[in-house]
Amino acid sequence: MKIAFTSCFSAQSFKQQPVWTQVGASGATHLVLLGDSAYYDADGSDMGAVKAMGAHDFALHAFGRLRDQLNQKEFAKLVRNTSLRIHPIWDDHDFLWNGACGAQIEGQPSYRHLLDPTRAAFRAYRDALDSHDPKTFPKPADGWNLGVAEPGYRTLMLSNANDPDGAVMLHLTDGRSYKTKGGEDAVLGKAQMKKLTKAIEASDEKTVHLIASGLTFEARHGETWMDCVAEHAAILKLAATRRILILSGDVHENRFAVPWPTGPWSLFEVTSSGAALRTAVTIGALQCNWGLVDITKDQVSIELSQLHMDTRRRVIDRKKWKML
């Protein structure tokens, strides 16, 4: 089973996005998009302007950015590939703006009116990806729905124990709706962490768990799970008895994290970010970054592809859950 993953791309300045052609040729049957499918607060816009928008203007803005991405030539062709399922989560730039924390936005009357349109825009984007037809995404005249729920936590069994590749479970997290900053930091929040914990603990110990996260787990700068001591520790505790690989984005680079020694096994993390942009969105080195996880009954192979660089590869022994 092959699962591709990447994050951070913008159709505003990057009209050509060859990364999607590469993904399509990889043989992957799943693609996980780890956030920032558009940049509402950059690339021709700015945070101040976005914060000043009313709900209607923000809806036009957000829907427009996601519509442009769905209509981008290489991406649209990939979406129409019915042998590939695409699973998006959101992060700050396709939620509201850089560093926005949903739990705190809920309590701010100046910005709370933006939650309805951003949830509606992301739901429509997810629905269009599920339909394999970019044309199903709403047109500007269609308006947008009120009362759409946040993406929240979802889990998918990509394969079960009877499949040749063994059981693989994908956990799609929502690291924005319940996020806080300052005081008792949270990434997922108590309710979402409870669901994630229950799903992993209820699984057979041979199951491979892929946790999709917009934020990196081990980074010691920027936004990271390490800001939230309780949730960070909870994931490490789960990894002591279950096979967990975190797929993360956000940082506009590809990298392997040093495995966390959590007990008899290790927690692994691999990051791929910068599918179609530059290091600082429109400034710096051009990025064309993506990753591929190939899972068999014996091992988990991970490849990271980057523009003008050799593909980097790591292999995990599935039975021992140790790096080979």
Side-chain angles (χ1 to χ4, degrees):
M1 172 185 294
K2 294 183 178 181
I3 302 107
F5 60 98
T6 190
S7 63
C8 304
F9 41 98
S10 172
Q12 310 317 120
S13 294
F14 301 90
K15 305 301 182 184
Q16 304 297 319
Q17 299 184 3
V19 66
W20 310 122
T21 301
Q22 296 173 21
V23 170
S26 70
T29 54
H30 297 272
L31 169 61
V32 184
L33 300 178
L34 297 161
D36 296 343
S37 289
Y39 282 73
Y40 298 159
D41 61 330
D43 205 3
S45 187
D46 64 76
M47 189 185 302
V50 172
K51 287 183 174 182
M53 289 179 179
H56 177 70
D57 287 342
F58 180 79
L60 292 175
H61 179 63
F63 274 80
R65 290 281 168 113
L66 292 173
R67 188 182 300 109
D68 287 346
Q69 181 59 44
L70 283 164
N71 289 327
Q72 194 280 326
K73 182 176 65 174
E74 291 94 348
F75 190 71
K77 182 178 180 179
L78 190 70
V79 171
R80 294 189 185 99
N81 180 357
T82 57
S83 64
L84 178 72
R85 294 183 62 191
I86 303 178
H87 313 286
I89 62 174
W90 66 4
D91 199 24
D92 48 353
H93 296 288
D94 52 359
F95 167 56
L96 287 173
W97 49 75
N98 187 45
C101 297
Q104 292 168 323
I105 296 293
E106 286 274 7
Q108 298 181 48
S110 299
Y111 305 133
R112 196 190 183 285
H113 64 282
L114 301 177
L115 292 177
D116 265 341
T118 196
R119 291 168 180 168
F122 194 78
R123 173 68 65 82
Y125 175 62
R126 194 175 76 189
D127 289 347
L129 294 176
D130 285 343
S131 74
H132 296 285
D133 186 0
K135 292 182 179 179
T136 62
F137 191 80
K139 298 178 177 61
D142 292 339
W144 51 279
N145 297 322
L146 290 167
V148 174
E150 66 275 9
Y153 167 76
R154 294 180 295 144
T155 183
L156 298 169
M157 286 299 302
L158 302 187
S159 61
N160 59 47
N162 296 322
D163 290 326
D165 296 333
V168 180
M169 184 178 290
L170 174 63
H171 303 267
L172 299 168
T173 66
D174 179 350
R176 284 296 151 187
S177 295
Y178 316 103
K179 191 176 187 301
T180 63
K181 187 175 183 180
E184 293 188 11
D185 288 350
V187 178
L188 303 185
K190 292 181 179 179
Q192 195 175 186
M193 274 299 305
K194 184 177 181 180
K195 291 178 181 178
L196 175 65
T197 300
K198 183 178 180 180
I200 293 177
E201 289 182 341
S203 70
D204 183 275
E205 68 171 21
K206 295 180 181 179
T207 300
V208 171
H209 296 274
L210 304 176
I211 299 180
S213 170
L215 296 184
T216 55
F217 187 79
E218 61 80 34
R220 297 181 182 275
H221 58 85
E223 288 190 292
T224 168
W225 282 75
M226 296 186 77
D227 293 333
C228 180
V229 175
E231 291 186 15
H232 188 269
I235 297 294
L236 290 177
K237 182 179 179 181
L238 288 170
T241 58
R242 293 295 186 272
R243 294 164 168 81
I244 295 177
L245 171 62
I246 295 178
L247 308 178
S248 58
D250 182 53
V251 293
H252 302 179
E253 64 176 302
N254 284 347
R255 66 188 183 200
F256 295 101
V258 176
W260 281 85
T262 59
W265 294 334
S266 295
L267 175 72
F268 294 96
E269 178 187 9
V270 59
T271 302
S272 185
S273 172
L277 40 66
R278 293 185 180 274
T279 309
V281 186
T282 58
I283 301 171
L286 185 64
Q287 306 293 305
C288 183
N289 300 341
W290 65 287
L292 185 69
V293 180
D294 188 356
I295 301 176
T296 68
K297 63 182 180 66
D298 296 318
Q299 63 185 34
V300 177
S301 300
I302 308 165
E303 294 183 351
L304 290 177
S305 298
Q306 192 165 349
L307 190 65
H308 306 313
M309 292 184 66
D310 292 336
T311 298
R312 290 180 288 163
R313 190 168 185 261
R314 299 287 189 277
V315 180
I316 302 169
D317 182 309
R318 182 167 179 172
K319 294 179 180 179
K320 297 180 180 179
W321 206 242
K322 299 292 183 181
M323 195 77 75
L324 291 175

